[in-house]
Amino acid sequence: METENLSRSYLESLSSADLIRLADDYGIDVPDDLNRRFIIGELLEIAAELQRETGDEIDIVGGEAVPVPHQLPESFNETHIDVVLRNPVWAFVYWDIKESDLARLHDDIDFSALLLRVAFFADGQDGTPEESFDVQVSFSDREQYVLLPAEKRFFRIDLMAQFSGKPEEHLAVSRKVAIPVGSDVLNGVVPGRHVALPALVALSSMEDLLRMHYEQHRHSFSA
């Protein structure tokens, strides 16, 4: 195998957190709208540059030769969806669709769209969502970051097939995930609104931290 393929298979086997740490080690500035493909591409470019400079095959993990696992398949041929919280604002969704389902949807003349339905629940035991919104994805997509609105408690993401002239179909359903709840003292702190913080909280430089968070993550604040 080519060195790039070996490196790519290893990087794709890492978790997003491990990719971020590896990118930090090599001085790669990871943007707020984190994308695994972006990080993997940047690391592969560094590996290729090091190989050109040294003429040796470079394994970018720790600068030492380490065994690289077998290349992972693009699909495990199952229809499945799952979700991981990056933080209380962003959720990372990943899914797979088996070949027979893809072929069936391709051949269905009534098929119109593939969707991620983000549904919110007041309680972890509720079966009916309070509200939801849809994110359209393509057949080739297998991952997506979703921005979660404020003041929600639980959510679930369904992989949906939408049709014209007949009911939509649930292809896969994720587990229900609890969204961490912040301190009641800080929940009302938004840009432009003054909140009287308790003395101990004020001494912790919390206002400066909140201002920094707003400057770096404006998209997570609603008007």
Side-chain angles (χ1 to χ4, degrees):
M1 289 186 180
E2 296 178 359
T3 304
E4 180 178 343
N5 289 337
L6 289 173
S7 299
R8 181 178 295 277
S9 67
Y10 182 83
L11 292 172
E12 289 178 346
S13 72
L14 296 179
S15 67
S16 296
D18 288 337
L19 281 174
I20 294 172
R21 283 193 289 270
L22 190 57
D24 287 340
D25 291 341
Y26 282 86
I28 298 174
D29 184 22
V30 178
D32 290 337
D33 53 343
L34 173 66
N35 186 302
R36 285 177 58 87
R37 295 189 182 94
F38 169 86
I39 300 176
I40 290 172
E42 290 293 312
L43 289 169
L44 289 175
E45 286 187 13
I46 289 176
E49 183 177 347
L50 291 174
Q51 183 176 344
R52 286 193 297 269
E53 291 176 355
T54 63
D56 298 327
E57 290 189 355
I58 301 297
D59 190 329
I60 63 176
V61 182
E64 300 178 357
V66 296
V68 179
H70 294 296
Q71 187 169 2
L72 294 174
E74 292 184 1
S75 172
F76 289 94
N77 199 31
E78 63 177 9
T79 301
H80 173 79
I81 187 170
D82 207 346
V83 58
V84 177
L85 273 182
R86 179 187 178 194
N87 52 44
V89 176
W90 287 102
F92 177 69
V93 192
Y94 57 97
W95 64 93
D96 195 10
I97 306 177
K98 62 184 178 182
E99 293 180 2
S100 59
D101 284 340
L102 286 173
R104 175 173 57 84
L105 295 175
H106 271 299
D107 294 340
D108 194 325
I109 60 173
D110 292 323
F111 174 76
S112 59
L114 198 62
L115 306 171
L116 297 178
R117 176 153 300 159
V118 186
F120 299 95
F121 303 83
D123 186 87
Q125 305 304 317
D126 286 353
T128 303
E130 293 182 312
E131 59 180 288
S132 65
F133 66 85
D134 293 340
V135 178
Q136 186 167 339
V137 296
S138 70
F139 277 118
S140 60
D141 291 334
R142 288 295 180 269
E143 59 188 44
Q144 176 75 38
Y145 270 94
V146 175
L147 179 63
L148 303 173
E151 300 179 357
K152 301 299 181 185
R153 292 291 293 112
F154 295 87
F155 76 99
R156 186 188 74 202
I157 301 185
D158 302 350
L159 181 61
M160 308 287 298
Q162 195 172 63
F163 304 89
S164 57
K166 64 179 182 180
E168 56 192 11
E169 176 184 346
H170 284 74
L171 298 174
V173 178
S174 80
R175 59 195 173 88
K176 197 175 291 183
V177 179
I179 303 174
V181 178
S183 165
D184 291 337
V185 174
L186 302 178
N187 281 342
V189 179
V190 296
R193 180 189 301 170
H194 176 72
V195 176
L197 297 175
L200 287 177
V201 176
L203 287 173
S204 69
S205 299
M206 180 59 67
E207 291 184 353
D208 293 335
L209 291 172
L210 292 171
R211 187 181 305 107
M212 183 184 304
H213 174 70
Y214 171 70
E215 291 172 351
Q216 297 181 359
H217 304 282
R218 295 171 185 267
H219 52 269
S220 66
F221 290 81
S222 58

